[in-house]
Amino acid sequence: FVSLVISFQLGENSSGGSKHDFFVTKIYIDTFKIDFSLGLEMFKAKGELHLPFFYILIANLNKIFGDTLVKYFYLIISSTIPLILYSALKKKFSQANIDHLFLLSLLVFLSPYFRSSAVWLTTDNLALLFFLLSINSFLKFEKSKDNFLINAFFCFSFLILASYVRYYYSVFFVFYFMMMQSKLNLKQNFYVILFNLICSVPFLFYLKFILKDSNTSDALHFVGFDFIFNTLVFASLFFFYFIPFLINRHGFEKIIEILNQKKKHIVIFILIVVLLFQFYEIPNILFGGGIFYKISKLFNLNIFLIFSLFGFLFLYFFNDNIFRNNLIFLSLIFGFPITTLFQKYYDPLIFIMILTLIDSKF
């Protein structure tokens, strides 16, 4: 937490974009602070597709406590994310050394996106906080022998809060609902669906308001879905965040063992990449794409496919190819139907997913 305070004093912007995002969205906070209706009208006029609830919350807190105090309070709120991750890890790995789990949870403090969001008061950390609380409740649901419905309500409540801050977390409703079917009966499922429908009503009213007579053309050019490119970006970033699990003796030995066992599968993956080389042109975009895409732009965009290939191999080999894991990966890919896919959407989210929801013997 002290490191976040120091970063706040220095104005750390290691993610590159958080400072810009803060000043772009500050106009919404300032407007909501003056007049609620005026703030909503500004959202509509600018064709803003993000939800306004975070900015409404911060505007009202600023009116009560002042801007500086709210910023420090957000540092405190952000610093609880590793703590909640630690709680989730203790549920997932109940037999593990808790000191090791504690150190793993502290790695979140190394994320430039986490740090920059804490310093510049962006929506990312609050949404991640609520999503981690939903993961915590889901793991409690899985481990418990009773109170299934209560734990399910807590899980979906936190997921809904995360979705109201950043909408893309809503795709995990499908994952949670599917995984809960083994413990929920028909009546309990009805209550869960009804609860989620009721909680979505404010969003539906807002959606109707923002689309009625509004100019969304400026924002809609960000909406689009190049399935191949988004999948390649996700695979390359999965490889990036999986590297720490490989650079040790056990990880290296496991790689050699699996490569020897599944040579045919590797040949198939290589053939797919060769086909992509021939028939798919990697988009040359100015922003986004992740670290390996940026490296590839410096030399040759086609080498980006090599990094993605490694990502696909590790996705396939180290995650047991089970329904649960595949559903998570599909959620992470389809959760971002946008033309510009930034690394911040997956950092530290992929790291957290690998340690909590993904089920792997490795």
Side-chain angles (χ1 to χ4, degrees), residues 194-362:
L194 181 63
F195 173 74
N196 280 277
L197 285 174
I198 292 171
C199 290
S200 68
V201 169
F203 165 73
L204 294 175
F205 274 112
Y206 169 74
L207 192 63
K208 181 181 178 182
F209 165 80
I210 204 72
L211 293 178
K212 184 180 179 182
D213 303 323
S214 66
N215 176 28
T216 57
S217 58
D218 292 338
L220 284 175
H221 75 277
F222 290 111
V223 178
F225 197 77
D226 183 338
F227 175 75
I228 295 177
F229 183 62
N230 284 26
T231 304
L232 291 173
V233 172
F234 168 73
S236 70
L237 289 175
F238 181 84
F239 171 55
F240 177 73
Y241 291 106
F242 202 68
I243 288 174
F245 299 97
L246 301 174
I247 51 174
N248 57 78
R249 189 182 65 181
H250 173 75
F252 184 75
E253 290 175 351
K254 194 72 175 176
I255 292 171
I256 301 301
E257 178 187 336
I258 290 177
L259 290 179
N260 287 328
Q261 290 175 352
K262 300 190 176 183
K263 293 177 182 177
K264 291 182 180 178
H265 298 86
I266 296 172
V267 172
I268 292 171
F269 277 112
I270 291 173
L271 285 174
I272 292 172
V273 170
V274 171
L275 287 172
L276 286 173
F277 265 118
Q278 294 297 319
F279 299 107
Y280 181 74
E281 185 176 350
I282 302 292
N284 190 356
I285 56 176
L286 184 61
F287 299 108
I291 182 169
F292 288 132
Y293 179 81
K294 297 296 187 187
I295 292 172
S296 300
K297 281 191 71 174
L298 292 176
F299 302 100
N300 182 344
L301 271 179
N302 283 333
I303 68 169
F304 176 62
L305 290 171
I306 306 300
F307 295 117
S308 297
L309 170 64
F310 285 125
F312 284 127
L313 288 174
F314 294 132
L315 276 170
Y316 181 74
F317 291 152
F318 292 102
N319 290 286
D320 304 338
N321 199 27
I322 59 176
F323 175 75
R324 175 194 182 107
N325 294 342
N326 291 334
L327 188 56
I328 291 172
F329 299 140
L330 288 173
S331 299
L332 288 170
I333 294 169
F334 284 101
F336 304 97
I338 48 182
T339 54
T340 306
L341 196 58
F342 291 101
Q343 185 161 341
K344 76 166 189 170
Y345 297 144
Y346 291 126
D347 185 329
L349 181 60
I350 289 182
F351 174 74
I352 289 170
M353 299 297 278
I354 289 172
L355 289 175
T356 56
L357 292 183
I358 288 173
D359 193 5
S360 170
K361 293 174 185 176
F362 178 76

Side-chain angles (χ1 to χ4, degrees), residues 28-36 39-40 43 52 55-56 59:
Y28 298 133
I29 296 172
D30 293 339
T31 307
F32 277 120
K33 201 155 60 169
I34 297 169
D35 185 88
F36 177 79
L40 287 179
F43 255 72
Y55 309 110
I56 295 169

Side-chain angles (χ1 to χ4, degrees), residues 1 4-5 8-9 22-23 26 29-30 33 54 58 61-62 65-79 117-122:
F1 175 66
L4 289 183
V5 174
F8 178 73
Q9 296 296 329
F22 170 75
F23 285 111
K26 188 177 184 297
I29 296 172
D30 293 339
K33 201 155 60 169
F54 176 82
I58 298 301
L61 289 175
N62 283 349
F65 301 107
D67 295 11
T68 303
L69 198 58
V70 170
K71 288 177 181 177
Y72 275 108
F73 182 64
Y74 197 63
L75 289 181
I76 296 171
I77 290 292
S78 296
S79 70
S117 176
V119 170
W120 291 103
L121 199 69
T122 64

Side-chain angles (χ1 to χ4, degrees), residues 38-96:
L38 188 64
L40 287 179
E41 289 297 335
M42 177 174 285
F43 255 72
K44 178 187 284 191
K46 289 185 175 292
E48 183 61 66
L49 293 181
H50 287 96
L51 301 177
F53 303 101
F54 176 82
Y55 309 110
I56 295 169
L57 173 66
I58 298 301
N60 283 280
L61 289 175
N62 283 349
K63 280 200 292 187
I64 299 170
F65 301 107
D67 295 11
T68 303
L69 198 58
V70 170
K71 288 177 181 177
Y72 275 108
F73 182 64
Y74 197 63
L75 289 181
I76 296 171
I77 290 292
S78 296
S79 70
T80 64
I81 288 175
L83 181 66
I84 299 164
L85 175 59
Y86 173 56
S87 177
L89 290 176
K90 287 196 293 183
K91 291 180 178 67
K92 179 70 180 285
F93 304 104
S94 56
Q95 304 301 316

